[in-house]
């Protein structure tokens, strides 16, 4: 359950005591240290030990265990609870998968709870450990680094989705695209992936703005400009998502319009050929009645003349439809 646990004193990592209470007391006693505990998909029994040691609020603990939460920011008496949804783009399948990352921030501790493989924090922790000046600012620095990493990855995923959309647009306007159902299926799949992406980026803007402009406990005032930068990046990501959604809707409309035009063309061709076939059908119907007083039946050239007239009329109608673009 516990992926990593470390005590950071004056920006430098040191191993924390195995007993969480002892490690937390040590961090609070020194004043210039904090404890960062990383947890991955804990069970209720496993996380109960952690929640009791850090005095985490029961409602926040319940959200952290059940997952499937919207991005949000909750302030409790002894801690700050932030929910983030990191996303992963799988190029092979052109899919967007969202994980969940819960961050508890207290006076001298940070507890991160991950759900899903897309929420790995090892790179963030390693980068912070290479910059002690940032880590000296305590739990606020960790919350900022995690938020910044998640939001920056949103922009990368948006760029990948933009590339996929350009390929879709090329496919939509390619000749014969209206003859296949695969194009429509890809558009609908892209819409679903974009919806999953929007669920991660959209609700997060309000929590980031609270951190950037509000007076939030357990977050140092000096960090507000940094969270404003994260909020700006998140706004860019949301604008990209909105733009991609509009372009996908336009691509779908263009595809459906092409299908409609193609169907109209097919109906005109069918109608034109039906009109051509109707002429010999009419002639065969008239002469098939076998009336004895039909004078042309006694002519030597009556049959060739009837066939010639039908062929001529068919050619005239065919030429007319061809000139009008129906054939």
């Amino acid at each position: 359950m516990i992926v990593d646990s470390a005590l950071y004193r004056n920006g430098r990592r040191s191993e924390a005591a195995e007993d969480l209470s002892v490690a937390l007391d040590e961090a609070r006693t020194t004043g210039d240290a904090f404890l960062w505990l990383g947890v991955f998909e804990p069970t209720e029994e496993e996380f109960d030990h952690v929640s009791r040691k850090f005095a985490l609020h029961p409602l926040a603990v319940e959200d952290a265990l059940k997952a499937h939460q919207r991005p949000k920011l909750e302030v409790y008496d002894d801690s700050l609870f932030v929910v983030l949804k990191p996303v992963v783009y799988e190029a092979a399948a052109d899919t967007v998968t969202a994980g969940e990352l819960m961050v508890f921030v207290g006076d001298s501790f940070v507890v991160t709870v991950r759900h899903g493989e897309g929420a790995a924090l090892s790179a963030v922790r390693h980068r912070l450990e290479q910059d002690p000046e940032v880590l000296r600012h305590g739990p606020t620095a960790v919350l900022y680094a995690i938020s910044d990493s998640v939001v920056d990855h949103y922009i990368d995923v948006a760029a990948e989705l933009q590339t996929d959309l350009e390929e879709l647009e090329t496919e939509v306007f390619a000749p014969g695209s209206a003859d296949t159902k695969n194009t429509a299926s890809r558009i609908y799949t892209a819409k679903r992936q974009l919806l999953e992406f929007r669920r991660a980026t959209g609700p997060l803007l309000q929590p980031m703005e609270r951190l950037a402009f509000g007076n939030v406990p357990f977050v140092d005032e000096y960090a507000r400009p940094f969270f404003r930068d994260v909020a700006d990046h998140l706004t860019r990501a949301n604008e990209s998502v909105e733009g991609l959604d509009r372009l996908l809707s336009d691509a779908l409309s263009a595809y459906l319009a092409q299908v409609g035009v193609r169907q109209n063309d097919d109906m005109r061709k069918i109608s034109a050929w039906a009109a051509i076939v109707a002429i010999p059908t009419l002639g065969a119907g008239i002469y098939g009645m076998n009336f004895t007083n039909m004078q042309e039946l006694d002519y030597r050239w009556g049959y060739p003349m009837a066939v010639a007239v039908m062929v001529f009329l068919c050619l005239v109608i065919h030429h007319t439809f061809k000139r009008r673009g129906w054939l």
Side-chain angles (χ1 to χ4, degrees):
M1 177 192 70
I2 297 179
V3 178
D4 199 353
S5 177
L7 185 68
Y8 295 90
R9 180 179 290 105
N10 199 25
R12 301 292 180 179
R13 178 182 176 127
S14 61
E15 294 304 318
E18 294 185 2
D19 190 323
L20 296 179
S21 298
V22 174
L24 185 58
D25 290 340
E26 182 180 354
R28 287 172 172 167
T29 301
T30 57
D32 61 349
F34 70 95
L35 179 66
W36 183 357
L37 181 69
V39 183
F40 178 69
E41 294 185 353
T43 64
E44 184 175 353
E45 293 76 13
E46 291 172 337
F47 199 62
D48 180 65
H49 174 69
V50 175
S51 63
R52 285 188 286 103
K53 295 296 183 182
F54 290 90
L56 304 179
H57 197 279
L59 292 177
V61 171
E62 181 181 359
D63 290 343
L65 290 173
K66 290 185 176 180
H68 303 293
Q69 304 294 319
R70 296 175 72 251
K72 62 180 180 178
L73 168 64
E74 298 287 350
V75 179
Y76 298 101
D77 293 336
D78 298 322
S79 63
L80 187 71
F81 180 61
V82 181
V83 178
L84 304 169
K85 293 182 74 69
V87 296
V88 174
Y89 176 79
E90 298 178 6
D94 291 337
T95 58
V96 175
T97 305
E100 291 198 40
L101 177 59
M102 288 76 172
V103 184
F104 294 88
V105 178
D107 55 351
S108 299
F109 69 87
V110 177
V111 178
T112 54
V113 182
R114 298 193 294 113
H115 293 270
E117 296 299 330
L121 292 176
S122 56
V124 177
R125 188 187 287 262
H126 179 72
R127 186 170 65 251
L128 281 173
E129 290 174 354
Q130 300 303 312
D131 193 352
E133 290 299 325
V134 175
L135 270 179
R136 285 193 180 96
H137 295 288
T140 301
V142 176
L143 178 59
Y144 160 71
I146 293 174
S147 303
D148 184 60
S149 175
V150 170
V151 172
D152 283 349
H153 194 59
Y154 287 162
I155 297 176
D156 296 336
V157 172
E160 296 287 351
L161 292 176
Q162 177 68 40
T163 302
D164 289 346
L165 177 57
E166 292 173 357
E167 295 176 357
L168 265 178
E169 287 179 329
T170 302
E171 184 176 330
V172 166
F173 293 103
S177 63
D179 298 331
T180 175
K181 295 181 179 179
N182 185 51
T183 302
S185 176
R186 288 193 61 192
I187 294 176
Y188 277 112
T189 300
K191 292 280 283 185
R192 291 295 297 262
Q193 300 305 319
L194 199 60
L195 177 61
E196 183 73 16
F197 192 18
R198 177 181 287 179
R199 288 172 179 169
T201 62
L204 185 59
L205 184 59
Q206 184 178 5
M208 288 298 108
E209 289 180 342
R210 285 184 62 187
L211 291 171
F213 302 103
N215 186 15
V216 181
F218 308 107
V219 176
D220 293 339
E221 186 175 351
Y222 84 90
R224 291 181 182 178
F226 296 94
F227 284 108
R228 282 201 297 269
D229 182 67
V230 175
D232 289 341
H233 290 178
L234 183 59
T235 300
R236 285 177 49 198
N238 282 326
E239 289 174 351
S240 297
V241 172
E242 293 294 333
L244 290 172
D245 186 60
R246 287 194 297 269
L247 289 174
L248 274 175
S249 298
D250 292 342
L252 181 60
S253 298
Y255 173 76
L256 295 177
Q258 285 188 328
V259 171
V261 170
R262 179 66 177 176
Q263 290 176 343
N264 289 336
D265 289 341
D266 292 340
M267 289 301 300
R268 287 193 298 180
K269 290 180 181 180
I270 293 172
S271 300
W273 284 111
I276 294 173
V277 173
I279 294 176
T281 302
L282 177 62
I286 293 175
Y287 287 100
M289 291 185 289
N290 296 322
F291 290 131
T292 57
N293 59 347
M294 297 177 71
Q295 297 180 4
E296 60 269 25
L297 296 178
D298 297 331
Y299 295 158
R300 179 177 180 183
W301 300 102
Y303 175 73
M305 287 180 60
V307 173
V309 169
M310 288 187 289
V311 171
F312 174 75
L313 292 176
C314 289
L315 291 176
V316 170
I317 294 178
H318 182 274
H319 175 72
T320 302
F321 285 138
K322 191 76 173 179
R323 186 175 58 186
R324 294 184 178 181
W326 284 42
L327 293 174

